[in-house]
Amino acid sequence: MWDYTEKVKEFFLNPKNAGEIENPDAVGDVGSIICGDALKLFLKIDKETNRILDAKFQTFGCASAIASSSALTDIIKGKTLDEALTVTNQDIADYLGGLPKEKMHCSVMGREALEAAIANYRGEEKPVEAEEKIVCECFNVSEEKIRKVAIENHLTTVEEVTNYTKAGGGCGTCIPDIEAILKDIWAVKAVPEKPKALKKLTNLQKIALIQEVIEKEIRPRLQGDGGDIELIDIDGNRVIVGFRAMCVACPMGNVTLKGIEEKLRELVSADIIVEEG
Amino acid sequence: MNPIYLDNNATTPVAPEVLDEMLPYLRDLYGNPSSMHTFGGQLYKKIEEARAQVAALIGAELDEIIFTSCGTESDNTAIMNAVETFPQKRHIVSTRVEHPAVRNFCKHLARKGYRVTFLPVDSLGRLNIEAFMKAIDEDTAVVSIMYANNETGVMFPIHELGEILRERKILFHTDAVQAVGKIPIDVKTLPVDMLSLSGHKLHAPKGVGALYVRKGTRFYPYIIGGHQENGRRAGTENVASLIGMGKACELAMQNLDKEIVYLSSLRDKLERTLLQNCPDARVNGDIEHRLPNTTNISFEYVEGEAILLRLNEYGICASSGSACTSGSLEPSHVLRSMGVPFTCIHGSIRFSLSRYNGDAEIDKVIEVMPSIIQKLRTLSPFGKEKIKV
């Protein structure tokens, strides 16, 4: 049985914004009944301000697919289209208090439906299917999608790619192709990212940057393994964090602390010290 | 909330009589049956009593029963035994709808160079006999075909297949884990050489099983070590569980006739009413040849995990062939082999009953199911046109 959060259960049992919008301004239709999940997103958009006035969904799928759809509509209502496009699949998962890692593809489906709906509104053409290179035949997943989702979510293993896109989860024939794509992505990315000289920061900038790195770089990775941390305090160069979820009982706690410290030293300041509070 | 447990093909509750029988061997009588003192050695007799009870249920003789740790071990042992018996033969015949215990073991042997034929089934889950006749040849070391399917309850014509194989002198194993204790099986007349059974499917605890091996069949042990089970399965006996399994088989034998009538009428009521009250629902599998306790129903345009979690809110336990519940992203290999349409395959729900289910429980399912299906359908983008009619 899946370990769903209370939030997921709540959004599944009492979904918000379920249904159709009559005469919608935009529709995003992704997934298929064959693959086992599908989402149709309807938007009502204010033409003057480009603001999303209403969002509704119809979803065929499991509890986390329905909950993700519901969460998505909740998140984007009231946002402008440009603001809505900054919503990531991780935002959808976070809104639900996290999803089991095998179910992350449900949040990706939400993000895809949003993109499709906005493209539909803006009259952008959908990429022609024939031009896309399909990597996973079982679930009809393109190379483009694998690259995009892998980069956005820092995916480094085939298993993670399967959890987020379903690619490789069927017959498994495409697993070597997915490995090659991952190798390609991270081999190129790793080089230009390194030599980033750290700027001298004001205290305020430093605190903001530490918060950002923890939220965007560190927590998603820990959550991927069922763990989590909370930033408790920042005192000069001392960063005090508390272990949450699976991290609480994890015997690798010290290794995790060191990892967080390394990341913060790399991205914020070389003299950061991380401690458990 | 007491669960309404309708998932007995997954596992069954331990019968109270079975537990009572076992407890002394978990508390005070903890000896090792192989010991030379009475305290341990007396247990040997109890194990033989249990063996007699298991043997009686399927009409076997005492020394034709080997205790194992589970159905999977029995299946693996049986197939491996055939392979060891005929090292020159390199072909195995099975079906596309077997339990992973057989299916994946055959695939494992395929990777080691064996030729494996997985026989197809038709849309009702019935075996293609023509394909069976074509598949078996002089190179076939063993045919392993399940007695009854765990997902649909569909039973294969094991007797007829066995007669053909006996004539051709081909070793025949049947995985009867879902069948033993639910329907009468008598190996005195059933032409099989090996038959697997499992304790926890018939109200014994998990972690105990047995393999029937017909007298005169060569046997090579799979688990090697001590002299237990007459040197055919090493490892200190799981004494309490073997005793429990014996008692469970005795109970099954006593109750079999009346349970078949009871369970099939309860199951039929559930199935009939759900089909009446839920539009766009269909039964998967051959209802003419099916276990009395099982029904597999597809509810079109909705997804199985969502149904199960809503049933769970009422404490109702069932299972599904949907992808989201399989842990592998792919829906049930059984339903796919039957060519069940994709609009149905993800919304399949299996209810499997036991003697401990009552009328009121079935009524509860009948009461809540139509609104669950309807709610999920209003959420689903599919099937709208049909529902509006």
Side-chain angles (χ1 to χ4, degrees), chain A residues 230-249:
Chain A
E230 190 186 334
L231 177 59
I232 294 173
D233 202 1
I234 298 168
D235 179 12
N237 284 324
R238 279 175 60 228
V239 176
I240 296 126
V241 297
F243 285 131
R244 300 289 177 263
M246 294 285 280
C247 286
V248 174

Side-chain angles (χ1 to χ4, degrees), chain A residues 126-225:
Chain A
K126 262 204 248 171
V128 184
E129 297 257 332
E131 282 177 15
E132 285 190 327
K133 190 182 159 214
I134 298 301
V135 174
C136 172
E137 299 278 349
C138 295
F139 295 107
N140 200 33
V141 187
S142 68
E143 176 167 345
E144 192 194 344
K145 176 169 170 183
I146 293 173
R147 280 183 178 274
K148 185 163 177 289
V149 174
I151 291 169
E152 280 174 3
N153 292 284
H154 310 281
L155 310 181
T156 54
T157 66
V158 175
E159 198 191 329
E160 286 174 332
V161 170
T162 305
N163 288 338
Y164 279 70
T165 67
K166 292 186 166 191
C171 67
T173 316
C174 63
I175 287 174
D177 300 334
I178 299 173
E179 274 170 354
I181 292 169
L182 287 175
K183 222 173 152 188
D184 180 52
I185 296 171
W186 300 119
V188 177
K189 282 218 81 173
V191 182
E193 266 204 357
K194 282 260 159 150
K196 224 199 284 175
L198 298 173
K199 278 189 297 184
K200 182 98 180 89
L201 301 169
T202 66
N203 270 337
L204 220 53
Q205 284 172 327
K206 191 193 273 178
I207 289 171
L209 188 56
I210 288 170
Q211 279 177 321
E212 193 189 326
V213 170
I214 287 181
E215 282 305 316
K216 293 211 171 131
E217 294 281 332
I218 294 167
R219 290 190 63 209
R221 280 168 191 236
L222 294 175
Q223 285 163 350
D225 293 327

Side-chain angles (χ1 to χ4, degrees), chain B residues 299 302-311 347 349 369 373 376:
Chain B
F299 300 90
V302 287
E303 198 278 332
E305 186 204 292
I307 302 173
L308 290 184
L309 284 181
R310 285 196 172 258
L311 284 173
I349 299 292
M369 198 65 172
I373 299 300
L376 290 172

Side-chain angles (χ1 to χ4, degrees), chain A residues 1-235:
Chain A
M1 185 155 182
W2 302 111
D3 187 14
Y4 287 134
T5 63
E6 287 305 314
K7 256 302 186 28
V8 171
K9 285 182 206 161
E10 186 192 313
F11 273 81
F12 163 62
L13 291 173
N14 304 302
K16 297 181 192 171
N17 313 317
E20 263 176 282
I21 292 179
E22 283 201 22
N23 306 318
D25 296 309
V27 177
D29 203 348
V30 295
S32 85
I33 200 162
I34 295 173
C35 295
D37 42 24
L39 164 55
K40 201 168 182 178
L41 178 68
F42 303 88
L43 300 181
K44 198 87 194 159
I45 297 163
D46 184 315
K47 307 243 169 10
E48 303 274 296
T49 59
N50 270 342
R51 204 168 279 283
I52 297 170
L53 300 173
D54 198 8
K56 286 196 169 183
F57 75 92
Q58 287 180 328
T59 293
F60 165 86
C62 57
S64 52
I66 291 170
S68 295
S69 310
S70 187
L72 167 73
T73 51
D74 235 17
I75 294 171
I76 61 173
K77 265 209 242 180
K79 282 195 163 52
T80 64
L81 296 181
D82 286 336
E83 284 166 358
L85 275 175
T86 64
V87 174
T88 64
N89 67 285
Q90 189 62 49
D91 292 334
I92 299 172
D94 289 347
Y95 197 76
L96 294 167
L99 284 172
K101 63 182 194 305
E102 297 88 346
K103 293 284 193 178
M104 283 304 288
H105 60 86
C106 295
S107 67
V108 172
M109 181 169 77
R111 158 80 200 181
E112 274 188 308
L114 174 64
E115 273 172 45
I118 293 176
N120 168 256
Y121 178 71
R122 290 178 171 167
E124 289 163 13
E125 291 213 3
K126 262 204 248 171
V128 184
E129 297 257 332
E131 282 177 15
E132 285 190 327
K133 190 182 159 214
I134 298 301
V135 174
C136 172
E137 299 278 349
C138 295
F139 295 107
N140 200 33
V141 187
S142 68
E143 176 167 345
E144 192 194 344
K145 176 169 170 183
I146 293 173
R147 280 183 178 274
K148 185 163 177 289
V149 174
I151 291 169
E152 280 174 3
N153 292 284
H154 310 281
L155 310 181
T156 54
T157 66
V158 175
E159 198 191 329
E160 286 174 332
V161 170
T162 305
N163 288 338
Y164 279 70
T165 67
K166 292 186 166 191
C171 67
T173 316
C174 63
I175 287 174
D177 300 334
I178 299 173
E179 274 170 354
I181 292 169
L182 287 175
K183 222 173 152 188
D184 180 52
I185 296 171
W186 300 119
V188 177
K189 282 218 81 173
V191 182
E193 266 204 357
K194 282 260 159 150
K196 224 199 284 175
L198 298 173
K199 278 189 297 184
K200 182 98 180 89
L201 301 169
T202 66
N203 270 337
L204 220 53
Q205 284 172 327
K206 191 193 273 178
I207 289 171
L209 188 56
I210 288 170
Q211 279 177 321
E212 193 189 326
V213 170
I214 287 181
E215 282 305 316
K216 293 211 171 131
E217 294 281 332
I218 294 167
R219 290 190 63 209
R221 280 168 191 236
L222 294 175
Q223 285 163 350
D225 293 327
D228 205 354
I229 58 157
E230 190 186 334
L231 177 59
I232 294 173
D233 202 1
I234 298 168
D235 179 12

Side-chain angles (χ1 to χ4, degrees), chain B residues 236-366:
Chain B
T236 300
E237 296 88 343
N238 182 355
V239 178
S241 293
L242 303 195
I243 290 167
M245 181 159 171
K247 183 67 185 175
C249 286
E250 186 189 271
L251 290 172
M253 203 166 155
Q254 285 166 3
N255 295 323
L256 195 56
D257 293 340
K258 61 173 197 268
E259 267 180 28
I260 291 174
V261 177
Y262 175 68
L263 290 176
S264 55
S265 82
L266 213 53
R267 187 266 320 265
D268 290 346
K269 175 182 162 185
L270 173 67
E271 185 174 276
R272 195 177 53 239
T273 322
L274 288 182
L275 291 181
Q276 271 166 13
N277 298 351
C278 304
D280 295 311
R282 47 170 266 176
V283 174
N284 295 312
D286 177 11
I287 58 168
E288 301 290 322
H289 301 95
R290 195 167 50 153
L291 292 173
N293 79 321
T294 309
T295 176
N296 187 312
I297 306 176
S298 274
F299 300 90
E300 285 196 84
Y301 313 118
V302 287
E303 198 278 332
E305 186 204 292
I307 302 173
L308 290 184
L309 284 181
R310 285 196 172 258
L311 284 173
N312 190 54
E313 289 295 299
Y314 299 97
I316 299 167
C317 312
S319 68
S320 167
S322 94
C324 290
T325 57
S326 70
S328 75
L329 289 179
E330 288 208 319
S332 150
H333 69 284
V334 175
L335 300 183
R336 273 186 295 147
S337 300
M338 288 161 60
V340 173
F342 274 105
T343 52
C344 291
I345 203 160
H346 293 289
S348 69
I349 299 292
R350 175 189 72 187
F351 295 103
S352 46
L353 286 54
S354 85
R355 69 174 80 115
Y356 298 108
N357 291 125
D359 230 10
E361 294 181 313
I362 298 303
D363 288 342
K364 184 72 188 172
V365 179
I366 290 169

Side-chain angles (χ1 to χ4, degrees), chain B residues 14-25:
Chain B
V14 173
E17 300 92 326
V18 168
L19 183 63
D20 288 345
E21 199 75 16
M22 290 171 64
L23 282 176
Y25 302 93

